[in-house]
Amino acid sequence: MSLRAYSRAEVMRRLFNAPLQVLPDTAAIVIGAVGKRYDIEQLLFAGEGRALSIGELETRAAAARVEISARAGVDQRAPKMAAEQLMPVIDNVAHIEVRGETVAENGIGPISGFTGYDGIRAQVIAADADPSVRGLLLDINSPGGEVDSLYECVGSLMGRRGAKPMRAVIRGTGASAAYALAACADEITINALGMAGSVGTIAMHADFSQQLEQEGVRVTLITAGAHKADANPFEPLPPEVRDRIASLVNMANDQFIAHVAEARSLSQDQVRGQQAQLYRGEEAVQAGLVNKVMSWADSIAEFAQQVNGGLSSGRPARSAPGARSQEKKMNTEQTAPAADTPEYSAATQEAAVQAALTGERARVGQLIELDAESRCTPALTSAISSGTSAGEFAIAQMKSTAQQQRTALESARDEAAQPDALPKARTDATGNQQKTNRGLAFVNRNKKAG
């Protein structure tokens, strides 16, 4: 895989007169970043009804520098490589990052502010083929991007549904083309302030004719074919050409709406009725675009627990306050499971987990007994076999130490001489204690002995 930069002609082809499923603000930021290099004086957004000057575009771009560069196509061997060579694999979950604008080709992983559909597809294929991977996670923070090659990637992701579980986690924004990718997952979570949706399509046209006229430059296009120079930047956009671009936008939008409706079990009228609105947090749940509100970290931890049968080494997941699951059907009818389909309840799942834990503790205990150099104390061995937690074991150790100290003090006290067995001090006739002259007492004892 090699690094390359897009040529001027390539940038123009990809930005203008082509359907884009990206947020309008993002399109404005891109043009604001490259406008002067491409002599853009103003930009007409289809459907917005007004032209934006380069000054306005530069203002929007001031907070977001965008470098127009990308990597070449993904190596054909990539889908056959081990998953961990292409993406992080944590707790048997393959993490596929979608960051920045999405484009047809950009290689594996986000780079230079872009994520390629080719890389996403290669990572998914590799993760599905790798037996060490139990689940796939789309980690999304993107405003969307190109329509070109989007639905080839979407078709691949939808076609593998029912294989390994896939969850999409919208960290900040999952809009337009990025949401089309998220919708391919079995379930979607979003944080409370995250944004999802913008199921719509946009196209841009740049008109340099007035600028060139002011500079005394007239461009003559010599073409063969009446439509060869349609939507060229050197003359105003004719109404019939504008209508043709609008038809392309509508065609791409119809495909987008059909995909979201199928992927999220919604009607096309429901999706179309959203009018490309962007929804935040709980609003996205109500609109049927995501399943529940949950923090990024908790969603990842919960998914790891699910695909690992509740035995993930990650931190336990906790639902965000007010987390709600989307109800795909409003009726209360329950379909009875088939006769040959096993029924799973919370009790049977808990029993299975406890059985697995008991077996694992027994295995660890046997290993300790077989290891002659093991330093495990009987108390630790007992704690492992009984399933005692680390906290409970620490408290028991502290209590045991305190009890040993009390026992030692009591033993020392019992072995000490009793007060009535100690020699008593002499007193005079008045009852006052007399001081003993040890030297005189020694002489008297010697006289008696002599």
Side-chain angles (χ1 to χ4, degrees):
M1 293 175 283
S2 61
L3 189 67
R4 68 180 175 88
Y6 290 125
S7 67
R8 177 189 177 100
E10 178 71 2
V11 171
M12 296 288 285
R13 182 187 70 79
R14 302 184 82 148
L15 284 180
F16 302 111
N17 306 322
L20 299 175
Q21 286 174 356
V22 66
L23 292 177
D25 284 348
T26 301
I29 286 171
V30 174
I31 301 303
V34 303
K36 283 191 174 180
R37 280 181 267 171
Y38 294 90
D39 302 320
I40 296 172
E41 285 298 319
Q42 66 177 17
L43 183 70
L44 175 66
F45 280 94
E48 189 164 325
R50 69 186 186 95
L52 302 180
S53 69
I54 189 63
E56 291 179 277
L57 296 173
E58 285 182 321
T59 299
R60 295 191 184 192
R65 298 180 59 189
V66 179
E67 179 184 356
I68 305 298
S69 63
R71 283 191 293 177
V74 175
D75 192 314
Q76 293 298 315
R77 293 175 297 173
K80 301 177 183 178
M81 297 169 66
E84 62 182 6
Q85 294 180 278
L86 302 177
M87 70 209 90
V89 178
I90 305 169
D91 283 343
N92 304 313
V93 175
H95 291 241
I96 302 169
E97 292 187 342
V98 181
R99 297 285 187 274
E101 282 70 44
T102 54
V103 294
E105 295 178 279
N106 202 48
I108 298 294
I111 187 173
S112 299
F114 297 93
T115 300
Y117 302 132
D118 57 341
I120 295 171
R121 183 172 178 273
Q123 288 173 301
V124 169
I125 293 173
D128 277 339
D130 193 325
S132 68
V133 174
R134 296 181 181 176
L136 289 72
L137 188 138
L138 293 177
D139 185 352
I140 297 174
N141 192 358
S142 166
E146 291 184 336
V147 173
D148 185 24
S149 296
L150 168 62
Y151 290 101
E152 180 180 349
C153 180
V154 163
S156 179
L157 268 57
M158 290 293 290
R160 48 87 51 205
R161 265 190 170 186
K164 295 179 180 179
M166 177 187 284
R167 171 178 285 195
V169 177
I170 298 177
R171 180 187 290 226
T173 301
S176 295
Y179 179 75
L181 295 170
C184 298
D186 302 308
E187 58 180 349
I188 307 173
T189 68
I190 190 172
N191 66 51
L193 298 178
M195 295 184 291
S198 188
V199 183
T201 310
I202 190 171
M204 302 180 292
H205 173 75
D207 179 1
F208 302 114
S209 59
Q210 292 184 10
Q211 177 193 0
L212 294 175
E213 183 177 349
Q214 292 173 0
E215 295 178 357
V217 178
R218 176 173 294 179
V219 177
T220 301
L221 298 175
I222 302 173
T223 64
H227 299 288
K228 185 63 178 179
D230 279 357
N232 74 80
F234 307 115
E235 61 184 10
L237 191 65
E240 63 272 15
V241 178
R242 181 184 181 124
D243 291 343
R244 183 171 299 180
I245 294 175
S247 69
L248 292 175
V249 169
N250 290 331
M251 185 185 304
N253 202 51
D254 288 343
Q255 189 173 7
F256 193 0
I257 289 172
H259 162 61
V260 172
E262 177 188 2
R264 297 297 301 170
S265 297
L266 300 170
S267 71
Q268 292 193 23
D269 287 341
Q270 284 178 298
V271 180
R272 196 179 300 276
Q274 294 175 3
Q275 291 295 306
Q277 184 173 341
L278 198 59
Y279 296 92
R280 190 181 296 276
E282 186 65 27
E283 291 178 341
V285 177
Q286 297 296 329
L289 297 179
V290 304
N291 294 84
K292 57 185 174 182
V293 174
M294 200 172 200
S295 75
W296 173 82
D298 288 340
S299 181
I300 290 176
E302 180 188 73
F303 184 61
Q305 287 186 334
Q306 288 179 1
V307 301
N308 289 294
L311 298 178
S312 167
S313 60
R315 68 187 182 93
R318 48 186 173 79
S319 297
R324 297 182 56 185
S325 296
Q326 177 213 8
E327 295 293 336
K328 292 185 178 180
K329 294 184 178 180
M330 300 303 293
N331 59 44
T332 57
E333 295 179 3
Q334 299 294 325
T335 303
D340 57 348
T341 302
E343 294 187 22
Y344 297 98
S345 64
T348 58
Q349 291 179 358
E350 179 64 21
V353 170
Q354 292 303 321
L357 290 174
T358 300
E360 180 64 12
R361 289 195 292 265
R363 184 182 71 83
V364 173
Q366 292 169 358
L367 292 175
I368 292 173
E369 292 178 1
L370 293 173
D371 185 4
E373 297 181 359
S374 174
R375 297 184 179 180
C376 282
T377 64
L380 179 57
T381 302
S382 175
I384 292 173
S385 63
S386 63
T388 303
S389 68
E392 293 172 340
F393 182 72
I395 293 173
Q397 290 290 94
M398 293 174 63
K399 289 182 177 179
S400 176
T401 300
Q403 181 60 44
Q404 291 175 4
Q405 292 174 346
R406 286 196 297 270
T407 301
L409 289 173
E410 292 173 356
S411 178
R413 183 185 61 193
D414 293 342
E415 294 176 1
Q418 300 300 317
D420 56 358
L422 297 174
K424 297 181 179 179
R426 296 182 179 182
T427 57
D428 56 18
T430 62
N432 294 324
Q433 183 175 341
Q434 295 180 341
K435 293 183 179 180
T436 301
N437 189 324
R438 295 183 179 180
L440 180 61
F442 177 77
V443 172
N444 291 335
R445 285 197 301 273
N446 286 339
K447 285 182 179 181
K448 290 179 181 181

